[in-house]
Amino acid sequence: MARASNLPVDPARIADVIDGLALITEPGRPYTRRAFSALFPAGRAFLEEKFKAAGLETRIDAAGNLVARRAGKKPGLGTIMLGSHSDTVPDGGRYDGIAGVAVALEVARALADRGIALDHDLEVVDFLAEEVSIFGVSCIGSRGMAGVLPEDWLSRQSDGLTLEAGIRNAGGDPARIAAEARRDIAAFLELHIEQGPVLETERLDIGVVTAIAGITRIEIVVEGRADHAGTTPMGRRADALAAAARLVTGVEALATSLAAGPGHFTATVGEFAIEPNAANVVPSRVRLLIDARAEERGTMEVFAASVEQLAANVARETGTVIAPPRRISDNMPTPGDPLVLDVLDAACAAAGASHRRMASGAGHDTAFMAKVTRAAMIFVPCLGGRSHAPEEFAETDDIALGAAVLLNAVIQLDEKLQDVIQESV
């Protein structure tokens, strides 16, 4: 591993940003600074001050993203963008997103320290509301920047506040989101803590993210028959919960089998509701929701077909009625751009960082930026793979090494992207 003292970035400056944001939290709830909350503007003001102190020009775009710009030498060539998000989940998020914003700023500072003027413009972005917000939706800022924020989302409400008003309160202009969708971004890079144990377990410095898994949510409803729990013979029941239990263990078995394949795959029954939910009544109805995530779309289709067959088998064996499983949301995987992935591999080698390619099982803003530009991510290790919890922790030196990798990648992309344009002419 490269030692922090040998890196072309300043770990202390990175820690200063992360620690400063950590102090802006709800009392007794570390580290809580949700988008659209009263504390969120304070975090934004802290970041904007840091951006300006680094000599960057700042603005809030139409989707409510905080954007800081360092002009390039060749106007009109396009923008290399770095960033992540500063909002948190409740009760946990000291590094999730924040590390990526701090590192993006550090890359801009390191370029200035070394007197490197890029040909492309460089932008650092803090996306609005990457985490699931009070409006029940996520990645609001990156969806808006990419021009794919559903217009009907603007009317979503929480405690009398609409998302449209929330974006306006954040400094955005909802009426101009579609008009300001970006088409000038030449490449986008995001650093994030892994939120899993792979890098720590394998003692590796960097994960080069090959793809962000597609997420499919499948609803299954089991209809049984309510009967007296003490008088109905065991062989005469249509117990919806007993049937649902078979589904849960069946889903786990299917997921375990598919996870043994070459690509990333997980499936979890994360929601479970029983009716009438009384101790002395045979359950009459169960609703369960499966969260399935796949790096390869074909694997997801195999899983969905297998779940449908599983449901039919369980219904036949238990005397219950199970409607065909229903996909209530279905998002495709987002592969990393091949050119950017190769640049990141080379940047790891230049920084002396051990690395591996790996998929992301969690969603990120990169998935939406990839709709409008070449995009990819890197992961840095986090302690025990813990995330979305107060115990979430990443070593500053590990994050700084990730910053050095991104710095190298930006310098390489500044040249390579122009070569690609010339080759295509």
Side-chain angles (χ1 to χ4, degrees):
M1 175 186 286
R3 297 185 62 83
S5 59
N6 298 327
L7 297 178
V9 296
D10 187 341
R13 290 191 302 211
I14 296 171
D16 176 63
V17 174
I18 294 171
D19 294 345
L21 282 172
L23 294 175
I24 305 171
T25 182
E26 292 183 17
R29 298 187 71 189
Y31 298 92
T32 304
R33 191 181 51 261
R34 300 191 72 190
F36 310 109
S37 71
L39 279 177
F40 185 71
R44 274 282 175 86
F46 172 85
L47 283 175
E48 186 169 21
E49 181 180 344
K50 294 293 185 183
F51 291 167
K52 288 181 176 179
L56 304 177
E57 300 174 3
T58 65
R59 65 186 177 89
I60 303 292
D61 72 7
N65 302 304
L66 173 61
V67 182
R69 178 176 174 272
R70 182 177 190 258
K73 293 186 296 183
K74 297 183 178 180
L77 189 60
T79 300
I80 296 175
M81 180 178 284
L82 311 174
S84 195
H85 62 97
S86 67
D87 66 310
T88 74
V89 298
D91 301 307
R94 184 180 173 93
Y95 298 89
D96 177 354
I98 286 102
V101 176
V103 161
L105 171 58
E106 181 55 28
V107 169
R109 287 166 157 171
L111 288 168
D113 290 346
R114 302 175 73 186
I116 298 174
L118 301 176
D119 289 332
H120 292 80
D121 292 342
L122 179 75
E123 287 187 350
V124 174
V125 61
D126 169 31
F127 289 110
L128 178 65
E130 189 271 352
E131 304 290 3
V132 176
S133 66
I134 58 174
F135 301 103
V137 291
S138 61
C139 295
I140 290 168
S142 52
R143 290 178 199 261
M145 184 179 284
V148 295
L149 183 73
E151 187 175 355
D152 60 356
W153 280 17
L154 296 175
S155 61
R156 283 175 169 259
Q157 292 194 31
S158 176
D159 292 331
L161 179 73
T162 64
L163 175 56
E164 181 178 15
I167 292 173
R168 191 175 296 111
N169 292 344
D173 183 355
R176 291 196 53 77
I177 289 176
E180 290 191 13
R182 299 289 294 271
R183 296 295 182 266
D184 64 311
I185 304 171
F188 175 79
L189 295 170
E190 180 177 8
L191 175 143
H192 207 280
I193 60 169
E194 182 194 346
Q195 299 179 284
V198 174
L199 294 175
E200 182 184 64
T201 300
E202 297 185 4
R203 302 180 66 83
L204 294 173
D205 299 317
I206 300 291
V208 175
V209 179
T210 54
I212 298 172
I215 304 174
T216 299
R217 294 202 167 102
I218 301 173
E219 180 188 65
I220 306 178
V221 176
V222 183
E223 300 285 357
R225 187 181 66 243
D227 281 305
H228 195 293
T231 62
T232 307
M234 297 302 295
R236 298 284 299 275
R237 301 178 177 208
D239 188 329
L241 179 55
R246 296 194 192 191
L247 291 173
V248 173
T249 56
V251 165
E252 182 184 36
L254 285 170
T256 301
S257 176
L258 292 170
H264 178 84
F265 185 84
T266 62
T268 307
V269 177
E271 290 187 18
F272 204 85
I274 311 166
E275 297 177 13
N277 200 26
N280 61 347
V281 181
V282 175
S284 61
R285 188 178 190 272
V286 173
R287 173 191 175 272
L288 57 89
L289 187 64
I290 303 167
D291 175 297
R293 306 187 181 214
E295 180 180 1
E296 300 291 340
R297 181 62 181 183
T299 307
M300 183 65 76
E301 294 299 339
V302 168
F303 174 75
S306 299
V307 167
E308 187 166 348
Q309 186 60 55
L310 171 67
N313 293 343
V314 169
R316 184 180 63 254
E317 294 164 1
T318 60
T320 56
V321 176
I322 304 177
R326 183 171 70 96
R327 299 190 199 192
I328 62 172
S329 64
D330 195 16
N331 296 306
M332 297 292 178
T334 304
D337 178 78
L339 183 148
V340 181
L341 291 175
D342 287 344
V343 166
L344 288 171
D345 283 337
C348 286
S354 59
H355 70 286
R356 61 165 288 176
R357 289 195 171 192
M358 62 191 300
S360 171
H364 298 283
D365 289 309
T366 297
F368 296 96
M369 298 313 298
K371 295 182 182 296
V372 294
T373 189
R374 299 176 182 271
M377 299 182 70
I378 64 170
F379 286 158
V380 296
C382 58
L383 183 64
R386 297 292 305 281
S387 184
H388 286 190
E391 295 79 15
E392 179 181 276
F393 179 79
E395 294 284 356
T396 298
D397 284 356
D398 290 341
I399 299 171
L401 184 54
V405 169
L406 284 196
L407 175 63
N408 287 331
V410 166
I411 293 170
Q412 289 185 48
L413 283 170
D414 190 46
E415 179 180 348
K416 286 184 178 295
L417 290 170
Q418 295 181 73
D419 293 340
V420 170
I421 292 173
Q422 292 174 357
E423 290 171 3
S424 64
V425 173

